[in-house]
């Protein structure tokens, strides 16, 4: 991806010339079956044995995408094994048996031309008939791209397979999915290939979603270590696409030398492009999660996307030879889980970069596990601390985007707006939102959407909320900022400590809702700590209906809790994960004295002791 990697094409030209001279000028001589082909055939036979036809999480792959390879250098980092190894790990870890496989397909010319020029398509179409000498010459004319006779076939499969998953999600045949595809796409320009990328996979899928299914708000989160310049340029003026990128920038010296935080969109799309640009290497979990908590999740929650694409480049991962960053597979899983919370779970992960096969494989495995409803693995606490340079990059990006969004108060400069109080939001709230939001993708018409009313750059919104002092230290952690705001706020008593350890805080839930009296019945004498769902017997994540006390699985298992609430109009439900109560009627968390009996019995079931002493006479009865 960077100039060093291109050196695999440029360096040793005499040796390459010798190799070309020994090849047929009209194609590569016929060779014995390669180790990769034997591996692919063996893997294909194994993959065919694993498929859950009822799974709401889908996967797409096609080992013909491995046909695209550098015929002039076996050392090129973008190699076919990048899709073979992750698929093998999914089989070995048994995750593949929990996924439903979607049939791959090729993208059509008309679908590709929604973002690309006809000249671009025609050029790729010519590759199949080119000689090796011409393929080498054409590749040298491009920026960090190699070409072969099979490149176009693989590129069409990559883009088309992502469309196949997108269609599954938007027709509600699936909740979410992962596309194990190559070549990648986020560097590809409208008019020519670039940076290992031949077609813009995610941009084509976005246009497909908007034009065929009428989706009006799509979030793209690109965590590839290289900035997705192609994706950004295609949607800079389109507010229907909010592009957010976390990437190395190194003050403009890291490939592709784009992604400056000053670029926030143009025209109608101003305020819908976020570049969190790291200016040094070794960025890790703490930096990425801090960026999520400070910018990505607040903006995404405000934007309310109907669909999320993750441009999942795992070259930001620990051990990647090009990225030199330190993100762990556990962090990739947590970021995926957070993104599920902002779009009712409709997340599609598309493979971009990543050149350490182990890092790519473990990253895809972690993300698939979370999409299936599993909890992500814990991160080493030592890795959760953001670096000073990371905090500086986050603050810079926040200052550039804040004038366009009225909920990024902390990043506003004094001349932009009087500081106002922001609510403290913890990881737990984001996780619970992902399990409880249940409206369809069309529940928020664009005409009423708050993002369509964001303040212009020179006229920021002034909300009639309380003025508070802002933390002065730029390197405060997320929890430190919460504590600082609590100390300054006269409403600090409204924020409830949810643990004896003063590290986790949550927004105070509603203290009353109109559905309490009708939908909460007295709890039975005992509750089970981990009951199986009444419908499907899955016990991965259990919720008790507070009207009939039947247990059901969550939205991100098989949705039976949500379906029961809609069918029976039983609107109050208790999570056996953290004993929170959600009201489907209010779309909110609720904590009221009426709920203490059920919460106490849930706590007794989980921990063998009540959470608090209560008087049963105080419990409201029907």
């Amino acid at each position: 991806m960077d100039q060093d990697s291109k050196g695999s094409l440029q360096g040793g030209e005499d040796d390459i010339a010798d190799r070309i001279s020994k090849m047929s000028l009209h194609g590569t001589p016929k060779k014995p079956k390669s180790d990769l082909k034997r591996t692919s055939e063996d893997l294909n036979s194994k993959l065919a044995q694993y498929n859950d036809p009822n799974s709401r999480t889908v996967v797409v792959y096609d080992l013909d995408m491995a046909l695209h390879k550098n015929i002039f250098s076996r050392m090129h980092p973008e190699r076919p094994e990048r899709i073979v190894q992750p698929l093998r790990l999914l089989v070995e870890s048994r995750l593949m048996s929990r996924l439903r496989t979607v049939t791959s397909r090729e993208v059509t010319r008309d679908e590709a031309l929604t973002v690309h020029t006809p000249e671009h398509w025609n050029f790729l179409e010519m590759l199949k008939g080119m000689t090796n000498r011409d393929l080498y010459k054409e590749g040298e004319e491009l920026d960090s791209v190699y070409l072969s006779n099979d490149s176009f076939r693989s590129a069409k499969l990559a883009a088309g397979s992502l469309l196949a998953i997108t269609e599954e999600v938007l027709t509600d045949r699936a909740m979410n999915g992962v596309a194990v595809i190559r070549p990648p796409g986020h560097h590809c320009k409208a008019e020519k290939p670039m940076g290992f990328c031949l077609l813009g996979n995610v941009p084509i899928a976005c246009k497909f979603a908007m034009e065929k299914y009428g989706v009006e708000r799509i979030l793209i989160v690109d965590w590839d270590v290289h900035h997705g310049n192609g994706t950004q340029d295609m949607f800079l003026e389109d507010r229907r696409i909010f592009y957010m990128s976390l990437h190395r920038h190194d003050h403009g010296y890291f490939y592709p030398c784009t992604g400056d935080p000053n670029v926030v969109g143009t025209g109608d799309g101003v305020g819908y492009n976020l570049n969190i640009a790291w200016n040094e290497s070794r960025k890790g979990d703490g930096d990425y999660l801090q960026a999520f908590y400070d910018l990505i999740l607040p903006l995404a929650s405000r934007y309310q996307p109907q669909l999320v694409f993750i441009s999942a480049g795992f070259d930001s991962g620990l051990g990647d030879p090009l990225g030199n960053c330190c993100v762990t597979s556990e962090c990739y899983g947590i970021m995926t889980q957070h993104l599920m919370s902002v779009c009712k779970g409709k997340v599609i992960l598309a493979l971009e970069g990543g050149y350490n096969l182990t890092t790519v494989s473990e990253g895809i495995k972690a993300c698939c596990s979370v999409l299936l409803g599993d909890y992500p693995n814990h991160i080493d606490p030592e890795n959760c601390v953001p670096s000073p340079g990371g905090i500086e990059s986050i603050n810079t990006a926040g200052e550039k985007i804040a004038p366009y969004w009225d909920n990024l108060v902390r990043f506003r400069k004094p001349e932009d707006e009087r500081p106002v109080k922001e609510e403290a939001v913890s990881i737990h709230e984001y996780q619970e939102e992902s399990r409880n939001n249940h409206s369809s993708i069309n529940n928020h018409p664009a005409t009423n959407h708050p993002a369509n009313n964001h303040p212009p750059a020179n006229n920021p919104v002034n909300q009639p909320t309380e003025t508070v002092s802002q933390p002065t230290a730029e390197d405060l952690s997320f929890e430190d900022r919460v504590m600082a705001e609590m100390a300054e706020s006269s409403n600090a008593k409204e924020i409830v400590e949810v643990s004896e350890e003063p590290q986790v805080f949550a927004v105070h839930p509603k203290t009353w809702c109109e559905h309490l009296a009708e939908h909460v019945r007295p709890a039975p004498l005992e509750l089970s700590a981990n009951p199986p769902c009444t419908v499907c017997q899955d016990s991965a994540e259990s919720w008790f209906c507070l009207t009939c006390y039947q247990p059901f699985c969550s939205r991100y298992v098989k949705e039976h809790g949500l379906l029961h609430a809609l069918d029976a109009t039983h609107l109050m439900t208790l999570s056996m994960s953290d004993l929170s109560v959600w009201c489907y009627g209010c779309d909110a968390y609720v904590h009221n004295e009426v709920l203490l009996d059920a919460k106490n019995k849930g706590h007794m079931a989980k921990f063998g002791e009540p959470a608090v002493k209560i008087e049963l006479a105080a419990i409201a009865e029907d």
Side-chain angles (χ1 to χ4, degrees):
M1 197 70 64
D2 55 17
Q3 296 304 318
D4 290 340
S5 62
K6 190 180 177 183
S8 61
L9 290 178
Q10 293 176 330
E13 292 184 358
D14 293 339
D15 179 57
I16 292 174
D18 289 341
R19 275 187 255 170
I20 294 175
S21 67
K22 295 176 183 177
M23 292 179 177
S24 164
L25 295 183
H26 303 286
T28 305
K30 200 168 184 180
K31 295 180 180 179
K33 188 180 292 187
S34 67
D35 290 340
L36 177 62
K37 187 164 186 178
R38 284 194 296 270
T39 300
S40 298
E41 290 176 352
D42 179 60
L43 181 58
N44 252 332
S45 64
K46 291 181 179 178
L47 288 168
Q49 304 172 25
Y50 294 93
N51 186 46
D52 180 357
N54 298 315
S55 178
R56 296 277 286 159
T57 298
V58 293
V59 62
V60 68
Y61 57 87
D62 192 314
L63 292 179
D64 276 359
M65 286 182 262
L67 296 174
H68 170 65
K69 59 184 178 181
N70 191 332
I71 61 177
F72 307 110
S73 172
R74 295 182 180 180
M75 302 303 294
H76 198 281
E78 207 294 281
R79 57 196 192 273
E81 290 83 359
R82 293 183 58 246
I83 60 172
V84 174
Q85 289 288 84
L87 291 171
R88 178 184 287 119
L89 183 59
L90 290 179
V91 170
E92 293 173 352
S93 65
R94 296 290 189 179
L95 284 178
M96 187 63 76
S97 63
R98 298 170 58 194
L99 300 167
R100 176 165 62 85
T101 302
V102 173
T103 303
S104 62
R105 72 170 178 93
E106 294 185 356
V107 69
T108 67
R109 177 187 174 91
D110 288 342
E111 290 166 341
L113 293 190
T114 58
V115 299
H116 291 294
T117 63
E119 293 76 16
H120 178 85
W121 180 271
N122 294 340
F123 168 75
L124 294 177
E125 210 166 27
M126 293 167 51
L127 297 180
K128 186 172 180 60
M130 286 187 183
T131 65
N132 292 311
R133 187 181 298 275
D134 288 339
L135 289 167
Y136 178 75
K137 287 175 59 179
E138 292 291 347
E140 284 294 286
E141 294 295 321
L142 298 169
D143 183 353
S144 300
V145 174
Y146 66 79
L147 302 168
S148 73
N149 297 131
D150 294 310
S151 293
F152 189 34
R153 159 77 172 160
S154 296
K156 287 190 294 183
L157 279 172
S161 295
L162 185 56
L163 297 188
I165 275 201
T166 303
E167 192 157 34
E168 289 290 310
V169 171
L170 292 180
T171 55
D172 206 35
R173 293 193 294 266
M175 174 60 68
N176 48 52
V178 57
V180 185
I181 55 177
R182 66 174 290 274
H186 70 153
H187 293 307
C188 188
K189 296 186 175 183
E191 70 280 6
K192 62 181 178 180
M194 178 181 173
F196 304 173
C197 304
L198 303 184
L199 288 172
N201 303 325
V202 170
I204 292 172
C206 288
K207 284 286 189 177
F208 176 79
M210 292 188 294
E211 295 183 1
K212 185 170 182 178
Y213 292 98
V215 179
E216 296 171 330
R217 293 182 308 281
I218 298 175
L219 171 64
I220 303 173
V221 175
D222 188 338
W223 66 47
D224 191 290
V225 77
H226 302 94
H227 179 246
N229 58 301
T231 304
Q232 173 184 272
D233 292 349
M234 291 176 185
F235 299 121
L236 268 180
E237 298 183 2
D238 194 339
R239 68 193 299 148
R240 297 174 299 172
I241 306 292
F242 199 151
Y243 177 70
M244 303 183 184
S245 176
L246 307 98
H247 55 272
R248 275 188 65 182
H249 186 246
D250 293 16
H251 303 286
Y253 287 95
F254 193 80
Y255 188 91
C257 306
T258 58
D260 190 282
N262 287 294
V263 181
V264 294
T266 59
D268 194 47
V270 68
Y272 292 88
N273 196 87
L274 173 68
N275 284 320
I276 302 172
W278 313 127
N279 286 315
E280 56 195 9
S281 61
R282 310 299 295 172
K283 290 293 166 281
D285 296 353
D287 301 296
Y288 279 74
L289 292 178
Q290 194 75 35
F292 260 65
Y293 299 145
D294 284 356
L295 289 174
I296 291 177
L297 291 174
L299 286 170
S301 297
R302 184 79 167 87
Y303 183 59
Q304 296 180 11
Q306 298 162 300
L307 181 65
V308 172
F309 283 102
I310 302 176
S311 277
F314 296 99
D315 45 5
S316 52
L318 184 65
D320 189 88
L322 301 187
N324 198 23
C325 284
C326 305
V327 181
T328 65
S329 59
E330 291 84 0
C331 184
Y332 288 127
I334 289 173
M335 291 191 292
T336 301
Q337 185 185 56
H338 286 333
L339 292 173
M340 292 170 70
S341 74
V342 298
C343 62
K344 291 81 181 174
K346 293 184 179 296
V347 173
I348 299 172
L349 184 145
L351 178 62
E352 294 283 0
Y355 309 102
N356 179 309
L357 298 182
T358 300
T359 302
V360 174
S361 302
E362 291 291 344
I364 289 179
K365 174 189 169 186
C367 294
C368 281
S369 177
V370 168
L371 291 175
L372 284 162
D374 300 338
Y375 286 105
N377 292 328
H378 293 294
I379 293 177
D380 186 336
E382 293 184 0
N383 295 337
C384 293
V385 180
S387 65
I391 292 172
E392 181 180 358
S393 295
I394 293 167
N395 288 337
T396 300
E399 290 169 3
K400 302 303 180 183
I401 200 78
Y404 308 97
W405 294 89
D406 55 14
N407 65 332
L408 293 184
V409 178
R410 184 175 76 85
F411 295 100
R412 291 187 185 278
K413 296 180 180 178
E415 61 268 24
D416 291 335
E417 182 182 56
R418 174 174 60 88
V420 296
K421 178 75 169 65
E422 284 188 292
E423 291 183 312
V425 181
S426 76
I427 181 175
H428 297 288
E429 185 187 9
Y430 285 119
Q431 290 173 332
E432 288 308 311
E433 283 180 6
S434 73
R435 303 182 187 112
N436 295 298
N437 288 333
H438 60 277
S439 56
S440 70
I441 65 169
N442 294 316
N443 276 357
H444 303 284
T447 54
N448 298 322
H449 187 259
N452 291 337
N453 301 314
H454 69 74
N458 297 320
N459 185 29
V461 168
N462 285 297
Q463 297 181 355
T465 50
E466 175 189 10
T467 302
V468 298
S469 300
Q470 298 296 318
T472 57
E474 290 297 322
D475 58 350
L476 287 179
S477 69
F478 176 71
E479 283 78 17
D480 288 339
R481 288 201 308 278
V482 174
M483 296 292 289
E485 289 182 356
M486 289 176 63
E488 294 292 333
S489 172
S490 61
N491 290 331
K493 62 185 180 181
E494 293 184 3
I495 299 182
V496 177
E497 185 174 345
V498 298
S499 168
E500 293 182 359
E501 299 177 2
Q503 292 141 336
V504 182
F505 291 82
V507 175
H508 191 68
K510 295 181 66 171
T511 57
W512 178 86
C513 86
E514 61 186 299
H515 306 102
L516 282 169
E518 182 179 353
H519 295 275
V520 179
R521 302 287 188 268
L525 293 178
E526 292 184 358
L527 296 178
S528 173
N530 192 35
C533 173
T534 302
V535 179
C536 67
Q537 304 304 307
D538 196 310
S539 59
E541 186 177 345
S542 303
W543 291 74
F544 273 109
C545 169
L546 292 183
T547 306
C548 64
Y549 286 91
Q550 294 185 79
F552 295 98
C553 63
S554 75
R555 179 177 178 84
Y556 299 109
V557 180
K558 292 194 171 75
E559 304 184 311
H560 291 128
L562 168 62
L563 295 175
H564 172 75
L566 297 175
D567 292 342
T569 321
H570 292 176
L571 302 181
M572 307 290 291
T573 182
L574 170 70
S575 167
M576 290 306 291
S577 296
D578 64 358
L579 303 179
S580 62
V581 171
W582 178 263
C583 176
Y584 286 107
C586 296
D587 263 353
Y589 297 103
V590 181
H591 181 69
N592 183 277
E593 189 178 41
V594 172
L595 304 170
L596 291 181
D597 180 39
K599 287 191 171 191
N600 252 0
K601 289 176 179 174
H603 196 280
M604 179 67 76
K606 287 174 68 71
F607 306 109
E609 60 182 21
V612 292
K613 294 181 179 180
I614 61 170
E615 296 294 332
L616 292 180
I619 302 299
E621 297 184 4
D622 184 27

